[in-house]
Amino acid sequence: MTAPAVARHAAVRKNRFTIGQAVRLAVLIVGLVLVLYPLAWVIGSSFKSDAEIASNISVLPTEFTASHYTAGWNSFDVSFTRFFINSTVIALLTVAANAISCLVAAYAFARLRFPMRGFWFAIMIGTLLLPGDVLIIPQYIVFNTLGWIDTPLLPLIVPKALATEAFFVFLMVQFMRGIPRDLDEAATIDGCSPYGVFWHVILPLSRPALVTTAIFSFIWTWNDFFTQLVYLNELEDYTVPIALRLFIDSTGQSSLGAMFAMSVLSLLPVFLFFVAFQRMLVEGINTSGLKG
Amino acid sequence: MALTTASAPVVPEQPGRRSPAAHKRRGSGGGRGRQGVAGYVFLSPWLLGLMGITAIPMLLSLYLSFTDYSVFSTWEDVQWIGLENYQEMFTGDPQFYRAVTVTLVYALVMVPLKLAAALAVALLLNRAWRGVGLFRGLFYLPSLLGGSVALALVWSALFAGDGAVNEFLAFFGITGQAWVNDPDYALGTLIILGIWQFGAPMVIFLAGLKQVPVELYEAASVDGASPWRQFWHVTMPMLSPVIFFNLVLETIRGFQGFTSAFVISNGTGGPVDSTLLYTLYLYKRGFAEFEMGYASALAWVFLLAIGVLTVVLFSTGRFWVHYADGEDR
């Protein structure tokens, strides 16, 4: 739709506060309360006393205590300091490995002409639909055969360094198609090789796509459970999600407060990312159909 | 910009390249030659990943699905057992059928409700007013945090016998269940958790709604169409490609649910296998019971099922997905 049409449309609606709009707003607010309640409840509950936690549906604690945070932090033989460091290291390495390898592959697909390009591109799109769960067992066997299982960073990071997240390759291909080809041509005429074009034209101009990729690969890695569950077997290698899971093994009620406190902390990095990049995230999804 | 600092040396013309004319005909791209080599240089990490992380493991798992491989066996011990794993799956494994049923119920109930919620909220948010961005962001938040263990833990606490949900129901005089511990209701709590994360398809719907030309609504109102008729005759057809996109995406994702079921059932798929999603069953057989051969067979059946499902979705799409340019994409 054309820009003036949007403006006209918005202007017509703006100066009329009708009953319909009031109803709409009311429905939205009720919906938002429902949607946000579980999040608010877990945050509130993490500050409640043990007796109050499970059954109290109110968000605010009647008696405020932060003791669950200190107790939760040291619930296991290895403290959460270690788990947070592990998660951070894995997430940051994944972000870097993923962004670089996907950008390089996307440049080849989007800009370079080479034999069998169409064939490889079709394969890449095909792997987009391939469920990761199907591959986890044979990948485990391959990594096990290579002797990588005792160094869990390798099976977690190496696949990311080899652009196996086809989704991001596709995202970046789509983005690069929007960069004017004239720039490549000008650079080529100025004597740039394909490597020069990549370095001097595509890399600097791809910053928005790189940032989107970085944000999402950080969040997905931070929240990842399946692969980390498979490859992390020593307590000191555990990441935050795998450690959180220990709370359901240990006995229920008494550790509920600690579990909530650590759950809140585990959501915090993603939440902060969300606050910082909210606009970009929602727009990134708009254009690419990323999942949450 | 960086362009001005470009100082790459001019690469001398290489012998044996195609003539400049042929080069020109193919646009700036050129043919094989310099770009051909560079193409494969840039593609090499991806190719290595395709081979090592995707293709070889896939072939390996296809092979293993015909063997009795367990993690403990050395390669010499691996016995070729033909179709035994597949036979066992279809004739001697009630848990397999259980997992298939649970997964189908989960996906078939959750996906339509999730998309309906996403579309409803998107329609409500599809107007420009102050603060709409905040609403969009907040509705999206659960999707963002969605796959995390923390939320699954919160969910099991909310739906526990003495949890907040029952406390809320008691307010209306309703006596609740121990939802997550009751085989009749445990899957329901997972479905609600899935629906709750409707933010991702919602944002995609919002993008789709922006593409619907306002003129169509104007024309429809001039013709006297009620808002309800406008919704069915303008919005829905124009939005059908986006609905289709979300449907395919969410269905495939629905079939891959793992974390929430794993956490809520503590890795068992219980109570009484009521939350035994297919991927959870696959994990159990492969990594808890170490039957990698059998698990590989499970994985291949899963892969084929997703393939068939995608084909079915795409073929039904012909009948109801309307593309504005009249092209069948």
Side-chain angles (χ1 to χ4, degrees):
Chain A
M1 112 173 104
T2 56
V6 179
R8 195 167 3 109
H9 191 54
V12 170
R13 303 271 162 188
K14 208 178 204 169
N15 298 324
R16 262 194 333 203
F17 191 75
T18 60
I19 294 176
Q21 269 174 314
V23 171
R24 180 191 297 263
L25 193 63
V27 171
L28 279 173
I29 288 171
V30 170
L32 203 56
V33 168
L34 274 174
V35 163
L36 292 184
Y37 171 75
L39 293 174
W41 179 76
V42 67
I43 296 170
S45 294
S46 69
F47 294 107
K48 289 173 189 168
S49 68
D50 280 322
E52 211 191 331
I53 282 185
S55 56
N56 189 346
I57 61 167
S58 100
V59 165
L60 293 176
T62 47
E63 216 179 311
F64 182 92
T65 168
S67 65
H68 295 308
Y69 282 85
T70 47
W73 196 266
N74 297 306
S75 291
F76 310 111
D77 294 340
V78 173
S79 86
F80 263 82
T81 313
R82 186 62 195 256
F83 303 142
F84 270 92
I85 290 174
N86 289 342
S87 269
T88 308
V89 167
I90 289 174
L92 292 182
L93 287 175
T94 299
V95 166
N98 199 33
I100 294 167
S101 67
C102 292
L103 186 75
V104 169
Y107 173 62
F109 282 129
R111 283 301 213 250
L112 301 177
R113 296 285 165 275
F114 52 89
M116 290 176 64
R117 173 178 159 277
F119 172 75
W120 294 124
F121 189 72
I123 300 263
M124 192 271 288
I125 298 295
T127 60
L128 209 59
L129 289 172
L130 199 66
D133 322 294
V134 171
L135 285 170
I136 196 113
I137 284 172
Q139 278 174 3
Y140 180 87
I141 294 166
V142 167
F143 293 143
N144 193 22
T145 314
L146 293 172
W148 286 5
I149 300 301
D150 299 325
T151 46
L153 268 185
L154 286 174
L156 290 175
I157 304 302
V158 169
K160 312 291 177 185
L162 298 179
T164 49
E165 292 265 15
F167 188 82
F168 293 116
V169 179
F170 182 62
L171 179 86
M172 288 191 184
V173 168
Q174 294 297 91
F175 179 84
M176 280 180 204
R177 282 177 175 163
I179 300 175
R181 269 189 186 269
D182 301 354
L183 295 176
D184 298 29
E185 280 165 21
T188 308
I189 289 165
D190 286 351
C192 271
S193 67
Y195 310 97
V197 172
F198 173 74
W199 189 254
H200 296 291
V201 180
I202 300 295
L203 182 64
L205 290 178
S206 295
R207 201 177 299 150
L210 280 170
V211 172
T212 308
T213 299
I215 294 168
F216 275 98
S217 52
F218 179 88
I219 290 170
W220 292 357
T221 313
W222 190 269
N223 282 340
D224 173 44
F225 182 64
F226 200 3
T227 38
Q228 293 175 7
L229 180 71
V230 167
Y231 292 115
L232 304 177
N233 299 311
E234 302 291 331
L235 187 62
E236 64 260 34
D237 292 335
Y238 276 13
T239 53
V240 176
I242 310 299
L244 275 180
R245 200 219 139 193
L246 292 174
F247 281 111
I248 46 173
D249 291 340
S250 55
T251 45
Q253 289 303 336
S254 58
S255 62
L256 210 53
M259 182 183 99
F260 280 179
M262 291 305 106
S263 294
V264 169
L265 291 184
S266 82
L267 296 174
L268 208 57
V270 177
F271 182 72
L272 292 178
F273 257 74
F274 170 76
V275 173
F277 297 105
Q278 196 245 109
R279 201 186 192 92
M280 262 185 87
L281 282 171
V282 174
E283 273 160 19
I285 295 216
N286 263 339
T287 50
S288 64
L290 278 162
K291 78 164 175 179
Chain B
M1 175 168 304
L3 256 178
T4 54
T5 64
S7 60
V10 179
V11 178
E13 196 74 7
Q14 288 154 9
R17 288 187 66 201
R18 40 180 71 237
S19 68
H23 179 81
K24 196 158 195 176
R25 201 167 52 237
R26 303 197 55 169
S28 70
R32 285 131 220 266
R34 199 161 61 160
Q35 284 210 352
V37 175
Y40 276 92
V41 169
F42 279 104
L43 210 58
S44 54
W46 178 83
L47 276 170
L48 211 64
L50 178 73
M51 296 303 167
I53 312 291
T54 311
I56 292 174
M58 272 187 81
L59 291 176
L60 183 68
S61 86
L62 184 61
Y63 165 71
L64 289 173
S65 74
F66 299 109
T67 70
D68 63 353
Y69 184 82
S70 93
V71 198
F72 305 117
S73 41
T74 59
W75 286 107
E76 292 80 55
D77 301 339
V78 177
Q79 294 277 325
W80 179 271
I81 55 170
L83 287 170
E84 238 174 77
N85 284 329
Y86 293 93
Q87 222 167 5
E88 161 79 9
M89 199 184 304
F90 287 106
T91 58
D93 184 1
Q95 277 203 309
F96 165 74
Y97 285 104
R98 186 72 216 161
V100 169
T101 314
V102 169
T103 309
L104 283 175
V105 171
Y106 176 73
L108 291 181
V109 176
M110 182 189 73
V111 172
L113 292 173
K114 186 178 189 171
L115 292 185
L119 181 57
V121 175
L123 286 169
L124 290 174
L125 288 177
N126 185 38
R127 292 286 155 81
W129 40 277
R130 217 186 315 168
V132 74
L134 183 68
F135 271 83
R136 285 175 191 170
L138 290 174
F139 275 113
Y140 175 60
L141 190 56
S143 280
L144 193 67
L145 305 171
S148 62
V149 169
L151 283 188
L153 290 172
V154 170
W155 219 252
S156 56
L158 272 173
F159 284 91
D162 56 358
V165 167
N166 281 345
E167 213 52 35
F168 178 75
L169 291 176
F171 182 77
F172 297 99
I174 303 168
T175 310
Q177 313 281 327
W179 307 100
V180 285
N181 297 317
D182 187 321
D184 291 338
Y185 296 102
L187 187 60
T189 63
L190 285 184
I191 289 172
I192 296 172
L193 176 57
I195 297 168
W196 181 58
Q197 294 156 9
F198 64 80
M202 175 199 80
V203 175
I204 298 171
F205 276 137
L206 278 168
L209 286 170
K210 270 193 212 155
Q211 306 297 320
V212 182
V214 178
E215 286 79 6
L216 289 181
Y217 291 109
E218 286 166 357
S221 1
V222 169
D223 290 347
S226 66
W228 186 244
R229 285 182 70 90
Q230 287 184 27
F231 173 74
W232 281 109
H233 296 286
V234 178
T235 310
M236 286 302 268
M238 292 305 285
L239 208 57
S240 61
V242 182
I243 296 174
F244 182 67
F245 176 79
N246 268 334
L247 180 70
V248 172
L249 221 64
E250 291 298 330
T251 308
I252 292 178
R253 267 174 214 157
F255 275 78
Q256 294 178 56
F258 176 80
T259 305
S260 56
F262 185 96
V263 172
I264 284 179
S265 71
N266 197 8
T268 64
V272 213
D273 290 343
S274 61
T275 59
L276 190 68
L277 289 180
Y278 198 93
T279 42
L280 183 51
Y281 184 49
L282 193 138
Y283 173 85
K284 272 178 80 174
R285 292 302 285 254
F287 292 100
E289 292 158 28
F290 307 113
E291 297 171 76
M292 292 277 184
Y294 192 75
S296 297
L298 285 172
W300 271 88
V301 169
F302 188 56
L303 186 64
L304 291 178
I306 291 203
V308 169
L309 183 87
T310 313
V311 170
V312 169
L313 278 174
F314 272 88
S315 55
T316 59
R318 274 169 200 285
F319 298 107
W320 60 274
V321 179
H322 164 89
Y323 291 106
D325 57 6
E327 261 180 59
D328 205 14
R329 265 176 282 186

